[in-house]
Amino acid sequence: MRINEWGENSFVHYLAEQFPCSGPFVGIGDDCAVIPADESHSWLVTTDALAEGIHFLLEQIPARDLGYKTVAVNVSDICAMGGIPQFAFLSIAMPRDLPCTWLCDFMQGVRDACDKWDLQLLGGDTLGSKRDLFINLTLIGHIKSTTIKYRHTAQTGDVICVTNNLGDSAGGFKAMSDHIPTSEDIDYLTCAHFRPEPALQQSLWLAAHTSVHAMMDISDGLNCDLMRILKSSRKGAVIETTQLPISVPLARVASLYDWNTLELALTGGEDYCLLLTVGAENFESIRNNFLNTFRSPLFAIGHVTSHHEELSYQNHGKPFTMPYTNFDHFLTSK
Amino acid sequence: MRINEWGENSFVHYLAEQFPCSGPFVGIGDDCAVIPADESHSWLVTTDALAEGIHFLLEQIPARDLGYKTVAVNVSDICAMGGIPQFAFLSIAMPRDLPCTWLCDFMQGVRDACDKWDLQLLGGDTLGSKRDLFINLTLIGHIKSTTIKYRHTAQTGDVICVTNNLGDSAGGFKAMSDHIPTSEDIDYLTCAHFRPEPALQQSLWLAAHTSVHAMMDISDGLNCDLMRILKSSRKGAVIETTQLPISVPLARVASLYDWNTLELALTGGEDYCLLLTVGAENFESIRNNFLNTFRSPLFAIGHVTSHHEELSYQNHGKPFTMPYTNFDHFLTSK
C-alpha cells in the first residue's frame, strides 16, 4: 500500500496508537499537545508544515504573505484550544538557487506575524533542499489549565457554531488557480487565502466560558474538521446548510463564475476560524455577549446528536446528501 | 544573490539580528533555546530538519535508521547544553507513492529512539510532498537552570576536549558513497553514521561541573563547530591535530583506501559527541573522574586563546594550515 491509499487521518490514528500518551499529558489527536507547567498553567505545543507544490506555489503566493501565513496557521492551532501563543521555532529547507531577496521578504512576513501576536522567534533550523521549499513552524503557547478547550468534549444537544464566514480562503485560491481578473471582491478573497486572521481575542473570550464545550479551528474544511470533533466526542451532528455563513464578496463572485459556495464552505478549508459547540441552555446569552463584545456574530449552524460519528446535513430542514470530497494532504496538491 | 552564495552561518547571523531576544530567554545562536520554567528550572527547545538528497538518500539509509537518527540528532542538541530530553514533535512530508511499509519502519526507528531516551512523541504534522521527503523534529527538554552550558562561555586557557572519536560517521558515509564492500570495520563506520549515540549520561555529568565552561555537540564538523564556540565567546584556539581521537576501524579503513582521516575528523561532521572547554586548573581531576565514571576517556585536543576568532592548528607543535572546506548545508548535497 502507498501513502496516498492510506490517507492522512488513518496515519494519524496509527500514530496515536503507536505513541500512546502517559502521565498528565495530552498528545496526538488534538490541535495542540498539552504539557502541564505548574499547578494552574499548561504549555500548548503545535507544529505545522507547509510544502511547496502541496500547500503553496512559489509563483502564486508573495514571499511575505507565505511567511505571515506560516505563523498564522500555527497561531490558529493555539487559539483552537484557547491559549496565548508565545514562542516560535522555524525550520526552512531552501533550494540553493532561491534568491536572498525572496528569503528576506519571507522573514519580513514572519516578523509581521510575530509582531502582530507578540511572539518571539527563538530558534529553528536552516538547510538546503534539492528541489522544493519546505517550511515547518513549531509554536509554544500558554494557558490556564482549567480553560483548555478540547475536541472530545462536545455534548449531545450542543449548538454548533463558527466564528467567521466559510469558504473565503478556498474562493481566493480558486480565483488564483482559475486566473480570474482582479477586482475588489477577488482581492478580498485572495487576502483571506494569503493573510488568514486567527481570532485570538475571540478564542480567549470563548475559552473563559465553561458552557463552550468543544473547540477547534477549521483548517481542512468544516466537513472534515467537524467529523474530528464528533469522532473524539463519540457524537453525531446535524448541520443546516442554509445557516452556513457565506461572505457577500464570495456570494457575488460565485454567482458571477458559477461557483458552488456550499462545496467551498464545507470542504475548502484554510478558514482558520473557530468551530465550537455550546451548551444549548447558555447559547442565547453567549451569542448576545459575543456580538456585544466583538461586534461580529457567532454563527449557529447545527447541533450535536448522540448518533456516534453520524454527520448529516439538511437544507431548509430537509435531508441533504453531501456530495463533495474532503481535501486530503496525502492525495491532493494545490 | 542566491542562498548558496549567502551561506548558512550568514543567514543564521542575519536571523539573530532580525529577531533579537528579549526578556529572560535565550534565542537563536546556541544549540537550544532556553525558556525559564520556574525559579530553578528551564525548558530547552531544539528543532532539526532533514531533507532527502541533502542529509540522506532513501536508497542508502534504512527507514528504521533514519527514524532513529531523526530523534538522535535532536537529543544531541539537548545534551549539548546539559539537559534531559523529554517531548518530541515530528513533521513529515511524504511523496504520495511512498510505501506504507517504509513509513512504518521509519516510525519504528522513531520509537526505538523514544524508548532509548525515555521520550514522549506528543504531536506533529503529516503532509504530502510533491517529490522529496522532508522530516522535522522539535524536541523539548528540561534542565536545572544553573547547570545550563552555553557556547559563549569559553575562557582563555581552557582545555578543549571531545568525548568521542571523530570522523567515524563521515567515514561511514564515504564508505557507502564509494560502494566499498562490507566488513566488520565498514559496518562499525556505517553504524556510526546511521545510529549516532548522543552521550546523555556524560552530558549530564559534565553539566554538573562548574569548571566545564562552554559546551556544544559536533554536528557540522569540529572545525566549523569549534569556530562557533570561538565566535560566541570572542576567543581563539590552538588545536593539536595529532591529539584528535581517531578510532582503530577508521584508521584501518583509511590506510586501506588512502583516506585522509584528518579531513574526516575536522570537517566530516555528524559526530554527535560533545565539544567542551574546561578550566585548566580542574582539567586533570575532571579527566580522571570522567574516565573512572564512564570507562571512556575525555580527549584533550587543544586550548583556548585570547585571539578573537583565530583558530589555528598544529602538527606535533608545528603550525599547520587547515586546507579543507567545511560542509555547508546550503552548498553541499549528500
Side-chain angles (χ1 to χ4, degrees), chain A residues 59-76:
Chain A
E59 58 274 25
Q60 279 185 343
I61 187 164
R64 189 165 173 172
D65 287 338
L66 185 61
Y68 170 93
K69 190 169 176 175
T70 298
V71 180
V73 302
N74 280 283
V75 167
S76 183

Side-chain angles (χ1 to χ4, degrees), chain B residues 174-193:
Chain B
K174 192 168 167 55
M176 249 180 356
S177 309
D178 295 355
H179 304 288
I180 292 184
T182 189
S183 70
E184 208 169 304
D185 284 347
I186 295 294
D187 286 353
Y188 165 88
L189 298 179
T190 327
C191 183
H193 184 65

Side-chain angles (χ1 to χ4, degrees), chain A residues 1-3 8 11 18 22 25 27 43 48-49 91 97-98 100 103 111 120 125-126 131-132 136 138, chain B residues 1-3 8 11 18 22 25 43 48-49 91 97-98 100 111 120 122 125-126 131-132 136 138:
Chain A
M1 191 161 61
R2 306 270 155 180
I3 289 296
E8 190 179 8
F11 178 56
Q18 290 286 309
S22 64
F25 312 109
W43 296 101
D48 251 322
S91 292
D97 59 349
L98 192 76
C100 293
L103 185 57
R111 208 159 69 168
Q120 285 197 274
D125 194 13
T126 56
R131 296 178 290 203
D132 300 321
N136 189 84
T138 300
Chain B
M1 190 162 61
R2 307 269 152 179
I3 289 295
E8 189 180 9
F11 178 56
Q18 290 287 308
S22 65
F25 312 109
W43 296 102
D48 251 323
S91 293
D97 59 350
L98 192 75
C100 292
R111 209 160 67 169
Q120 286 197 274
L122 287 188
D125 194 12
T126 55
R131 298 177 288 204
D132 300 321
N136 190 84
T138 301

Side-chain angles (χ1 to χ4, degrees), chain B:
Chain B
M1 190 162 61
R2 307 269 152 179
I3 289 295
N4 57 344
E5 298 160 75
W6 206 1
E8 189 180 9
N9 281 338
S10 309
F11 178 56
V12 172
H13 184 73
Y14 161 83
L15 281 185
E17 276 189 345
Q18 290 287 308
F19 294 87
C21 210
S22 65
F25 312 109
V26 173
I28 297 161
D30 215 308
D31 288 281
C32 305
V34 181
I35 301 172
D38 57 32
E39 295 88 52
S40 56
H41 290 80
S42 294
W43 296 102
L44 299 176
V45 188
T46 182
T47 194
D48 251 323
L50 300 168
E52 183 185 348
I54 303 286
H55 297 85
F56 63 89
L57 297 174
L58 275 185
E59 58 275 24
Q60 280 185 343
I61 187 164
R64 188 163 173 174
D65 287 338
L66 185 60
Y68 170 92
K69 190 169 175 174
T70 299
V71 180
V73 301
N74 281 282
V75 167
S76 183
D77 279 325
I78 300 279
C79 289
M81 298 188 81
I84 299 173
Q86 206 169 358
F87 307 113
F89 300 84
L90 174 73
S91 293
I92 175 162
M94 295 167 281
R96 65 199 65 179
D97 59 350
L98 192 75
C100 292
T101 49
W102 188 95
L103 186 56
C104 291
D105 288 347
F106 174 84
M107 291 311 304
Q108 183 57 50
V110 170
R111 209 160 67 169
D112 295 343
C114 286
D115 290 348
K116 179 168 187 163
W117 288 293
D118 202 16
L119 309 177
Q120 286 197 274
L121 183 75
L122 287 188
D125 194 12
T126 55
L127 58 153
S129 162
K130 217 167 95 193
R131 298 177 288 204
D132 300 321
L133 187 72
F134 291 95
I135 305 159
N136 190 84
L137 196 105
T138 301
L139 192 56
I140 301 182
H142 67 275
I143 190 167
K144 202 172 145 195
S145 303
T146 50
T147 68
I148 303 175
K149 298 298 177 193
Y150 299 98
R151 297 179 180 181
H152 66 265
T153 40
Q155 296 176 18
T156 302
D158 280 1
V159 179
I160 299 170
C161 310
V162 292
T163 56
N164 209 343
N165 294 310
L166 301 175
D168 283 348
S169 169
F173 177 71
K174 192 168 167 55
M176 249 180 356
S177 309
D178 295 355
H179 304 288
I180 292 184
T182 189
S183 70
E184 208 169 304
D185 284 347
I186 295 294
D187 286 353
Y188 165 88
L189 298 179
T190 327
C191 183
H193 184 65
F194 285 157
R195 292 246 161 188
E197 293 267 355
L200 179 56
Q201 292 310 319
Q202 296 182 354
S203 142
L204 295 176
W205 188 93
L206 290 165
H209 287 78
T210 50
S211 51
V212 172
H213 292 152
M215 193 158 82
M216 71 180 295
D217 70 326
I218 302 185
S219 55
D220 293 338
L222 174 65
N223 184 65
C224 176
D225 287 328
L226 178 55
M227 191 46 107
R228 288 175 175 146
I229 285 187
L230 301 181
K231 277 191 177 175
S232 301
S233 301
R234 307 180 64 81
K235 298 291 176 192
V238 178
I239 297 296
E240 173 54 54
T241 55
T242 55
Q243 297 299 312
L244 298 177
I246 305 294
S247 73
V248 174
L250 178 61
R252 270 197 300 250
V253 172
S255 123
L256 209 56
Y257 295 98
D258 202 21
W259 290 357
N260 184 333
T261 51
L262 185 58
E263 181 171 9
L264 294 174
L266 288 179
T267 66
E270 303 215 2
D271 300 297
Y272 300 115
C273 65
L274 297 167
L275 169 65
L276 57 147
T277 81
V278 184
E281 65 288 4
N282 296 102
F283 175 67
E284 277 310 317
S285 112
I286 286 202
R287 169 156 70 178
N288 292 337
N289 290 339
F290 188 91
L291 183 62
N292 288 336
T293 308
F294 298 108
R295 302 280 153 207
S296 105
L298 190 61
F299 301 96
I301 59 170
H303 65 274
V304 177
T305 69
S306 60
H307 305 118
H308 187 199
E309 294 188 29
E310 213 177 285
L311 170 53
S312 59
Y313 291 93
Q314 293 187 347
N315 184 285
H316 292 291
K318 289 187 185 138
F320 167 82
T321 306
M322 215 287 281
Y324 318 119
T325 313
N326 288 337
F327 177 76
D328 188 314
H329 285 131
F330 286 176
L331 304 176
T332 325
S333 65
K334 281 192 170 167

